Amino acid sequence: MEVERSASADVATVNTLQSICYSRGSLRLLDQRKLPLETLYLDIRTAADGWSAIREMVVRGAPAIAIAAALSLAVEAFNLEFSGTAAGSASFLIEKLDYLVSSRPTAVNLSDAATKLKSLVKNVAETASDPKAVFQAYVDAAEAMLVDDVTENKKIGFHGATFIRENIKNPEKISILTHCNTGSLATAGYGTALGVIRSLNAGGVLKRAYCTETRPFNQASSWVLRNLLAPRYNLQGSRLTAFELVHDKIPATLIADSAAAALMQAGRVNAVIVGADRIAANGDTANKIGTYSLAVSASHHEVPFYVAAPFTSIDQSILSGDQIVIEERSAKELLYSHGGLGQQVAASGIAVWNPAFDVTPANLITAIITEKGVITKASANSFAIKEFLEGVPGSNTN
Ligand SMILES: CSC[C@H]1O[C@H](OP(=O)(O)O)[C@H](O)[C@@H]1O
């Protein structure tokens, strides 16, 4: 992957929150491991480049992962000299999509997008005689994901801001806490949970956004990245969300994850809003580690707790959160400073448990905000997601 490097700059002069830069036949991904101090784009030419960029977390965030994967294959397909049949082109694309899904298995958006794209190319190949028609249909569908995501995020922002203003005390000045990064850097633009914060701010009712550092961090899988990128690559809340909030001039405060309960105890939080990597059919939600403890604190302090995510984050094939596989990360993230990239700080020989995600049970979630509208509770312990879908015109309940 060749790189395009611009001079390092502070947030004030960095003018981009665009994680994905695409034009037909070309894809560049903002290297989020270098933010906030350096803006660097990596040139992505193949699905293999896309797989590595997702695995090494050049690009991260459930929606952004799916879009980056689809577009990396679109670029390869567009530039490919292919002499096979229409059926052969479909097989080529399907094999690459299955490979891309293996880059980061937890977030459902990637596997959901791959399933839909595989179905598309199979259907086109059944009637097409020219492989170019199959490749073109794939490229068109992958490009549509990029455009649709921003439109959906703005709908999430609208539905979320409207619902929060209608259901919160003192709706004229809201202080809201968020975790990890769910903004433009985690999507094709605007964001999900952070998109709701943007919409509240645009509506003039946001008093302050609080963002947690989000420890430890997602560690790169290769020795080179772990050891060469040490000073720049950790902590998605302090590095990415704080960067977005300062970039947009939104009043915001960074806190340690461990300070969140005390902030709520002080009465300084009117609501908590987070993203999602995978939501089960009953509303149980997997998200970055630390989300569950925020939900427990919010429940104790009677602070509403919202999940904001595109509907594609809901995995209706699993009934509850205990079926969601949670990745565990390297012990080095806790044994060494800088999330595993610096000096040893913990005693050698100590055991480590380091899950990267946790599951918040539906009974701790106030509402799930999607682009289709806000899903409220069917009972204390579950959400009626299927019924919600059946009430939405044109929804697919499969
Ligand atoms: C809209 S991003 C949702 C979700 O994805 C992030 O995971 P990662 O940064 O490891 O890709 C994080 O859990 C966000 O809340």
Side-chain angles (χ1 to χ4, degrees):
M1 289 183 276
E2 290 174 16
V3 299
E4 173 193 309
R5 188 185 302 272
S6 66
S8 57
D10 64 29
V11 174
T13 56
V14 171
N15 61 5
T16 181
L17 293 176
Q18 192 170 353
S19 59
I20 300 170
C21 288
Y22 174 83
S23 58
R24 186 160 286 186
S26 166
L27 173 64
R28 293 181 303 124
L29 296 177
L30 177 60
D31 188 344
Q32 299 187 31
R33 300 168 303 184
K34 304 292 178 66
L35 291 177
L37 301 182
E38 191 177 356
T39 300
L40 182 146
Y41 281 89
L42 300 189
D43 191 14
I44 305 295
R45 296 181 174 168
T46 62
D49 285 352
W51 190 97
S52 300
I54 293 166
R55 182 66 165 229
E56 305 304 349
M57 304 188 73
V58 166
V59 60
R60 30 66 46 202
I65 289 170
I67 295 163
L71 290 179
S72 70
L73 180 53
V75 167
E76 180 169 358
F78 180 79
N79 295 310
L80 189 65
E81 295 292 328
F82 187 81
S83 56
T85 63
S89 62
S91 300
F92 171 85
L93 291 167
I94 288 165
E95 184 181 334
K96 294 286 187 180
L97 285 165
D98 287 336
Y99 160 71
L100 283 160
V101 169
S102 69
S103 56
R104 282 197 76 199
T106 302
V108 70
N109 309 58
L110 174 52
S111 54
D112 176 72
T115 300
K116 289 170 180 168
L117 290 166
K118 289 194 289 187
S119 174
L120 170 84
V121 299
K122 283 175 188 168
N123 291 340
V124 173
E126 281 171 4
T127 55
S129 53
D130 184 345
K132 287 191 176 69
V134 180
F135 283 126
Q136 187 59 59
Y138 175 84
V139 169
D140 292 343
E143 291 175 352
M145 289 173 64
L146 189 63
V147 176
D148 293 349
D149 187 57
V150 179
T151 303
E152 289 175 359
N153 293 340
K154 291 190 173 171
K155 290 178 182 174
I156 291 172
F158 170 77
H159 289 308
T162 303
F163 186 85
I164 290 172
R165 292 175 71 169
E166 289 171 353
N167 291 275
I168 203 166
K169 299 173 193 137
N170 313 319
E172 66 285 352
K173 280 295 171 194
I174 297 166
S175 292
I176 192 162
L177 171 71
T178 194
H179 188 58
C180 197
N181 176 256
T182 59
S184 296
L185 295 172
T187 65
Y190 201 72
T192 56
L194 196 53
V196 173
I197 290 174
R198 285 190 160 106
S199 294
L200 288 168
N201 187 58
V205 297
L206 182 77
K207 179 178 180 184
R208 182 160 290 272
Y210 291 94
C211 59
T212 60
E213 287 181 302
T214 312
R215 291 181 176 275
F217 81 116
N218 295 301
Q219 180 166 324
S221 57
S222 75
W223 181 90
V224 169
L225 293 171
R226 278 201 296 278
N227 291 276
L228 298 184
L229 294 170
R232 309 177 191 160
Y233 176 46
N234 53 29
L235 306 177
Q236 285 152 309
S238 50
R239 272 188 328 104
L240 304 180
T241 299
F243 175 77
E244 291 202 40
L245 290 165
V246 171
H247 178 276
D248 285 12
K249 297 182 173 56
I250 293 173
T253 300
L254 173 65
I255 66 168
D257 302 354
S258 50
L263 195 68
M264 295 184 210
Q265 184 185 46
R268 294 170 62 182
V269 179
N270 304 121
V272 178
I273 191 162
V274 299
D277 288 88
R278 193 181 293 254
I279 302 172
N282 69 345
D284 293 348
T285 296
N287 195 53
K288 189 57 57 192
I289 188 69
T291 303
Y292 174 53
S293 58
L294 287 177
V296 170
S297 298
S299 175
H300 178 75
H301 293 287
E302 298 181 341
V303 171
F305 185 91
Y306 300 111
V307 169
F311 211 82
T312 47
S313 299
I314 298 175
D315 181 356
Q316 297 195 65
S317 71
I318 55 170
L319 298 179
S320 63
D322 54 15
Q323 293 173 270
I324 300 174
V325 175
I326 300 296
E327 291 172 56
E328 292 199 21
R329 303 274 185 196
S330 162
K332 287 192 74 174
E333 290 182 5
L334 301 184
L335 294 171
Y336 290 77
S337 65
H338 283 55
L341 301 169
Q343 302 300 317
Q344 181 172 349
V345 291
S348 300
I350 185 69
V352 172
W353 182 59
N354 182 25
F357 298 92
D358 57 28
V359 176
T360 298
N363 69 298
L364 294 179
I365 299 171
T366 306
I368 298 173
I369 300 161
T370 77
E371 73 280 13
K372 298 176 186 286
V374 180
I375 310 172
T376 51
K377 301 296 270 291
S379 71
N381 297 326
S382 74
F383 286 83
I385 291 174
K386 193 170 175 61
E387 293 74 6
F388 167 83
L389 259 180
E390 284 157 1
V392 178
S395 298
N396 176 349
T397 54
N398 293 327

